[in-house]
Amino acid sequence: MAAGVGLAVVAGGVGLGLWAASGDGDGGSAVGPTGDVSASAARSPSPSPSPSRSYPLSTAPRTIPAVREHTPARGPGWRPAKGQRVVVADGALADEGRLIAGELGLTYAGEKDDTRAGDLRLALGGDQKAGAESYTMTVRGGRVEISGPSDAGVFYGTRTLKQEVHDGGTAPEGVVRDAPAKAQRGLMLDIARKHFTASWIEDRVRELGDLKFNQLGLHFSDDQGFRIESDRHPEVVSEQRLTKAEVRRIVDLAAERHITVVPEIDSPGHLGAVIDAHPRLQLRDAAGNAARGAVDISRADAATLVDELLDEYADLFPGGQWHLGGDEYRALTAADPEASYPQLAAAARKRFGAGATVADLATGWLADRADTVRAHGRTPRAWNDGFYPGVRARTGDDVRVAYWTGKEIGARQPVEYLSAGRKLINYNDEFLYYVLGEPQTFVYPTGQRIYEQWTPRVLRGTEAVDERYDGQILGGSLAVWCDLAGAQTQDQVAAGIRLPLRATVQKLWDAGAPELSWTEFRRLADRLG
């Protein structure tokens, strides 16, 4: 073996040839062998213009998130230049090919079998055990090839290449093998309390794609507003809103970048904008006092209205995930919900039998809404405080827990959900909640704190759950909440979440201790833009 060739430079503290890889977006991990490419790399003819010229052994690229593994080699690396081609081995990669060609100023040449100097070639193939989102990028002989088991993996390889050559940089000679640790990597935007323009959201989609995020959550209904045009119930929609045409453009742009848009119509709480148009649905206690934002779940017409909205927007959001909310139902914050809301207690007993509680009725509501979105082929998720202990009613085992807090009434530790077999998405409010105006005890999250202290297993507070539960934690999401909507402009929000986003995806891509210090990581983030 040639001196130096065959040594692996591995980012993020991951051992050579082993990495946790995402599956089909539903969690789980796999271990993929690297194989030995060093000998073939050493045998490749040098593109050196002089027989006497030699190159130092390459070093791993600096990207966000960091690549999991790089096998170095000797050679000049690769830089884009006018006249070079992007070619694909399969027409299914045309979108990825056209995108990277436009970004790097190259010529998209379509499906080709020949090879030319300077080519960037995209191909489907590779080790399925490494995960659908894995990829291999080989820089050798003045050319680049990116391959992966799916078009998503190939896309992520192009994001790595784009960062490597940013601002005149060079993709280093050698082989990158890369895959994410977590299958769900998201940003959630509260567009209900604060209107964000379509163009601003599209900019976030481009940013997320370049960082290898694959989900964008849109919480578009709350007490302060309902922000997407409705054909079936136009009376509930706020004046400042997104049109369906704008949403379709956002969804299409996201799909081009392998990002699923996850909609959320939160219920049975946080429905104030809907209640404003349908006041008969307002939940009231025995004394006639209104419960802000809560619908009366003993009323069949409340369920009908929410299901009609869920059905309508299923056509607008074709992705496989749906967020049902389920949190902070005000009836269950009363000291004695059954006494305060006798109509709910009566409905619970009628449906679930003697001794049933308001918590049973709320659980039944969530289960019914889950059935509605399942009929559209969606996998439901709900906030952890929408799951109540000791109830007779049951939601399906497929309802994912969006774990955000340990401060709710009757709060349960994450292990209670995990030991019951539930799968969780990490929204830990102590690290990942960007709440405008910093109300209550919230403070703006910092990239440094996420980078240095958080991992996907840190679900509540600052303590990690046991590693045996790692496979049940599907991923995580930074969340932007607009409780005090005027506290920041949308451009200030974009600036404020820039470093937290980058730190979050680094830890979702590889939960191990990062190789770079925070100062080095921040410097890299500033250089890459």
Side-chain angles (χ1 to χ4, degrees):
M1 185 174 294
V5 178
L7 296 175
V9 178
V10 182
V14 179
L16 175 61
L18 300 177
W19 66 83
S22 68
D24 59 2
D26 201 30
S29 62
V31 176
T34 67
D36 184 358
V37 301
S38 303
S40 60
R43 289 195 299 269
S44 296
S46 170
S48 165
S50 166
S52 63
R53 185 173 179 184
S54 63
Y55 295 93
L57 198 64
S58 64
T59 59
R62 294 299 192 195
T63 60
I64 297 175
V67 301
R68 305 294 296 278
E69 178 189 319
H70 176 251
T71 302
R74 298 183 187 277
W78 183 90
R79 294 175 67 178
K82 186 176 180 180
Q84 291 175 345
R85 305 184 307 173
V86 175
V87 298
V88 298
D90 190 305
L93 297 173
D95 288 345
E96 288 73 24
R98 289 190 180 96
L99 178 61
I100 191 65
E103 291 170 329
L104 301 187
L106 307 178
T107 299
Y108 177 68
E111 290 185 70
K112 300 290 182 184
D113 293 328
D114 65 316
T115 57
R116 295 182 186 175
D119 274 356
L120 165 57
R121 183 177 182 82
L122 309 182
L124 291 174
D127 186 358
Q128 292 284 347
K129 293 180 181 179
E133 293 185 310
S134 67
Y135 69 91
T136 300
M137 180 169 65
T138 303
V139 179
R140 180 185 298 144
R143 291 185 293 272
V144 181
E145 178 168 321
I146 298 171
S147 63
S150 73
D151 52 353
V154 173
F155 172 74
Y156 296 137
T158 68
R159 300 307 88 190
T160 295
L161 183 66
K162 181 182 177 183
Q163 289 193 27
E164 287 177 331
V165 301
H166 174 76
D167 199 24
T170 299
E173 202 85 2
V175 181
V176 167
R177 290 185 178 87
D178 204 9
K182 291 300 177 184
Q184 297 190 20
R185 307 175 300 280
L187 168 67
M188 193 229 73
L189 294 173
D190 172 12
I191 66 171
R193 293 181 177 91
K194 181 181 182 68
H195 174 66
F196 291 89
T197 64
S199 61
W200 186 91
I201 297 173
E202 289 170 357
D203 285 344
R204 302 289 73 71
V205 168
R206 295 184 185 95
E207 181 180 16
L208 293 175
D210 281 352
L211 292 169
K212 304 187 180 91
F213 281 91
N214 63 3
Q215 289 188 0
L216 171 64
L218 294 181
H219 174 96
F220 65 91
S221 170
D222 213 300
D223 298 343
Q224 295 81 355
F226 192 103
R227 301 292 182 181
I228 296 178
E229 177 183 21
S230 172
D231 299 317
R232 194 157 191 180
H233 287 287
E235 74 280 0
V236 307
V237 180
S238 302
E239 182 177 354
Q240 282 191 312
R241 65 190 184 278
L242 297 173
T243 67
K244 285 189 173 181
E246 288 174 323
V247 173
R248 288 189 187 97
R249 287 197 295 272
I250 292 167
V251 169
D252 289 346
L253 180 68
E256 290 173 1
R257 286 154 171 78
H258 300 276
I259 296 169
T260 297
V261 180
V262 183
E264 181 188 358
I265 299 176
D266 199 347
S267 77
H270 295 281
L271 281 172
V274 172
I275 292 168
D276 286 346
H278 296 273
R280 72 182 186 281
L281 303 181
Q282 179 88 59
L283 175 65
R284 294 183 180 276
D285 66 13
N289 300 310
R292 182 171 181 263
V295 295
D296 186 336
I297 58 176
S298 69
R299 298 181 59 110
D301 51 352
T304 298
L305 181 103
V306 172
D307 282 345
E308 287 173 350
L309 291 169
L310 294 173
D311 288 336
E312 176 180 359
Y313 291 105
D315 291 335
L316 191 60
F317 296 99
Q321 308 289 318
W322 198 286
H323 204 317
L324 295 169
D327 63 313
E328 298 179 326
Y329 187 51
R330 289 184 180 271
L332 288 165
T333 64
D336 187 345
E338 286 69 40
S340 297
Y341 298 95
Q343 77 277 31
L344 300 184
R349 291 191 297 270
K350 181 178 180 180
R351 180 171 178 180
F352 298 107
T357 65
V358 174
D360 283 299
L361 194 65
T363 301
W365 171 280
L366 184 63
D368 291 343
R369 308 293 77 75
D371 284 342
T372 300
V373 300
R374 280 194 204 98
H376 295 283
R378 308 302 196 268
T379 298
R381 70 180 66 166
W383 299 112
N384 63 287
D385 51 331
F387 295 81
Y388 303 102
V391 294
R392 301 179 183 184
R394 291 289 182 268
T395 58
D397 292 339
D398 65 326
V399 181
R400 308 307 190 218
V401 179
Y403 198 97
W404 72 280
T405 186
K407 305 181 183 74
E408 77 276 15
I409 295 173
R412 288 184 288 164
Q413 293 286 341
V415 168
E416 292 191 45
Y417 302 90
L418 293 164
S419 61
R422 290 279 184 188
K423 294 183 178 180
L424 274 63
I425 302 118
N426 191 327
Y427 291 79
N428 187 334
D429 64 342
E430 292 196 26
F431 286 91
L432 304 178
Y433 262 36
Y434 191 96
V435 186
L436 267 60
E438 300 180 305
Q440 301 176 53
T441 60
F442 290 108
V443 295
Y444 291 128
T446 68
Q448 182 174 2
R449 188 162 182 256
I450 296 168
Y451 189 77
E452 294 178 343
Q453 299 180 33
W454 181 81
T455 74
R457 289 197 288 115
V458 179
L459 287 156
R460 173 180 179 176
T462 59
E463 295 298 319
V465 299
D466 192 275
E467 64 181 347
R468 70 177 180 272
Y469 296 117
D470 189 65
Q472 291 174 244
I473 301 169
L474 304 180
S477 180
L478 190 73
V480 175
W481 293 104
C482 302
D483 291 41
L484 300 175
Q488 290 189 342
T489 67
Q490 61 181 15
D491 289 338
Q492 287 173 322
V493 172
I497 65 175
R498 188 179 72 87
L499 288 172
L501 270 177
R502 284 149 178 79
T504 299
V505 80
Q506 172 60 46
K507 303 306 280 291
L508 290 169
W509 196 265
D510 181 355
E515 180 183 353
L516 300 182
S517 69
W518 168 250
T519 299
E520 292 169 326
F521 183 86
R522 179 168 186 163
R523 188 180 302 123
L524 176 62
D526 291 342
R527 181 175 69 79
L528 295 176

